[in-house]
């Protein structure tokens, strides 16, 4: 990764509450899906095909950006938005870890009560 | 993405047996691997030393919430509170719930853990650190436990 594209989204840690809250909205989830091609998109592109206004989409993008899930770079007069999935991956990995611990504890409980 | 974990497991044992294994503090300690110092009582904290090989220096600390016989047992705790020198008591905790239902031939147990959205981010880092290198060892422990007590 070039030093230029390393913005605050990559350096700051994001509280889980902010990431969960950012993903807990259908419009924002659909934006994440649209951005999952990992290409930079303009606000016009992201508004196209949506029933929401450009302003509304911009607001949702800023929420995602504050949670570190997307990052924007200015290109001339417009901002281009790109997915930055690390905060999502990190939370998912953490939940996988806790989940695996429960699998193991419950497997031990099973052999404990069934023998 | 859901901020809770849910597990369902069917146990070939009567509900009374499962209830005892889950809520008798000595039996709980057997399979959860913790040596608890006192019984579970609603609203009361419980403490004990983890007996999981390699993690014996860690403490289990929880506060019992609900205790509805043969139906619901729940406690709050601090998952991965792995730094013995740190006081976690002021941090948000997660809620663990055990729900028991009769099922054909035994008991359906549902375990949920919720509230992960409230946890501080550093906790996730600690969890990863804890698992670094320790994971392979844990898998071996479980394997030997299972083969010794089939």
């Amino acid at each position: 990764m070039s030093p230029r594209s390393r913005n605050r989204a990559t350096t700051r840690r994001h509280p889980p509450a902010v990431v969960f809250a950012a993903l807990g909205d259908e419009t924002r989830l659909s934006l994440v899906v649209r951005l999952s091609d990992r290409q930079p998109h303009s606000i016009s592109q992201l508004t196209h095909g949506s029933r929401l206004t450009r302003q509304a989409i911009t607001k949702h993008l800023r929420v995602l950006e504050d949670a570190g899930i997307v990052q924007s770079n200015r290109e001339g007069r417009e901002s281009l938005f790109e997915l930055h999935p690390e905060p999502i991956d990190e939370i998912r990995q953490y939940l996988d870890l806790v989940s695996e611990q429960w699998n193991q504890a419950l497997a031990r409980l099973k052999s404990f009560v069934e023998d | 993405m859901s901020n809770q974990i849910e597990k369902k497991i069917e146990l070939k044992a009567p509900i009374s047996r499962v209830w005892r294994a889950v809520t008798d503090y000595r039996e709980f300690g057997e399979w959860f691997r913790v040596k608890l110092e006192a019984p579970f009582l609603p609203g009361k904290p419980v403490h004990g030393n983890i007996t999981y090989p390699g993690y014996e220096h860690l403490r289990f600390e929880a506060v019992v919430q609900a205790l509805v016989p043969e139906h619901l047992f729940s406690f709050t705790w601090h998952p991965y509170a792995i730094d013995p020198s740190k006081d976690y008591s002021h941090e948000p905790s997660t809620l663990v719930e055990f729900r028991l239902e009769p099922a054909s031939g035994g008991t359906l147990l549902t375990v949920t853990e919720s509230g992960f959205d409230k946890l501080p981010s550093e906790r996730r880092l600690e969890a990863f650190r804890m698992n670094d290198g320790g994971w392979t060892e844990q898998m071996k422990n479980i394997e030997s436990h299972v083969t010794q007590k089939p």
Side-chain angles (χ1 to χ4, degrees):
Chain A
M1 189 178 277
S2 76
R4 215 188 127 264
S5 64
R6 195 180 160 81
N7 70 2
R8 68 198 172 100
T10 52
T11 50
R12 206 175 70 185
R13 301 205 66 79
H14 300 278
V18 175
V19 179
F20 280 120
L23 292 173
D25 175 276
E26 272 184 36
T27 305
R28 291 196 288 274
L29 270 182
S30 71
L31 283 169
V32 168
V33 172
R34 298 227 13 211
L35 290 166
S36 61
D37 61 5
R38 305 301 304 270
Q39 298 300 311
H41 291 267
S42 67
I43 294 174
S44 313
Q45 283 170 341
L46 294 169
T47 307
H48 187 76
S50 157
R51 273 180 298 171
L52 293 177
T53 63
R54 189 187 161 86
Q55 264 174 320
I57 292 289
T58 308
K59 225 170 106 183
H60 284 297
L61 285 167
R62 294 297 173 203
V63 174
L64 290 169
E65 189 177 23
D66 286 343
I69 301 166
V70 306
Q71 54 190 54
S72 65
N73 287 300
R74 274 201 94 76
E75 191 122 314
R77 286 178 59 205
E78 61 180 0
S79 290
L80 294 180
F81 289 84
E82 222 176 311
L83 189 68
H84 181 256
E86 280 76 359
I88 305 176
D89 290 345
E90 206 179 276
I91 287 179
R92 185 178 297 139
Q93 280 177 40
Y94 174 77
L95 290 180
D96 284 350
L97 213 63
V98 179
S99 178
E100 184 50 33
Q101 295 237 317
W102 277 116
N103 285 345
Q104 294 179 7
L106 293 180
R108 293 196 298 267
L109 171 64
K110 192 175 172 69
S111 57
F112 184 75
V113 296
E114 287 185 358
D115 61 0
Chain B
M1 186 164 47
S2 166
N3 65 8
Q4 74 165 29
I5 286 171
E6 183 178 283
K7 304 276 167 195
K8 281 182 188 290
I9 186 167
E10 274 200 40
L11 303 166
K12 291 184 204 69
I15 213 161
S16 55
R17 175 71 197 97
V18 177
W19 179 253
R20 196 170 76 234
V22 170
T23 58
D24 178 286
Y25 72 107
R26 288 153 304 199
E27 293 207 5
F28 178 91
E30 284 286 319
W31 60 270
F32 199 88
R33 297 201 169 164
V34 56
K35 194 168 171 39
L36 294 176
E37 290 147 15
F40 294 127
L41 291 169
K44 299 282 179 202
V46 273
H47 315 275
N49 287 324
I50 300 284
T51 57
Y52 207 112
Y55 299 100
E56 289 97 336
H57 60 293
L58 299 179
R59 297 275 294 166
F60 172 97
E61 307 212 352
V63 178
V64 177
Q65 304 295 323
L67 205 52
V68 185
E70 306 201 348
H71 178 63
L72 170 71
F73 169 53
S74 64
F75 59 78
T76 49
W77 74 335
H78 299 98
Y80 284 109
I82 61 157
D83 184 348
S85 63
K86 200 172 154 184
D87 177 15
Y88 291 95
S89 55
H90 303 297
E91 282 192 4
S93 50
T94 56
L95 172 69
V96 175
E97 294 171 294
F98 293 82
R99 286 175 201 281
L100 286 69
E101 290 165 62
S104 59
T107 305
L108 174 65
L109 173 68
T110 307
V111 177
T112 53
E113 182 166 5
S114 55
F116 291 104
D117 52 334
K118 310 283 188 310
L119 290 186
S121 332
E122 312 86 69
R123 185 55 54 74
R124 301 202 303 270
L125 281 184
E126 286 183 8
F128 294 134
R129 215 183 310 137
M130 176 182 181
N131 269 270
D132 235 13
W135 200 244
T136 335
E137 200 50 43
Q138 286 189 30
M139 296 308 278
K140 274 191 232 147
N141 291 333
I142 284 153
E143 202 184 336
S144 65
H145 176 82
V146 172
T147 31
Q148 278 160 23
K149 290 190 198 171

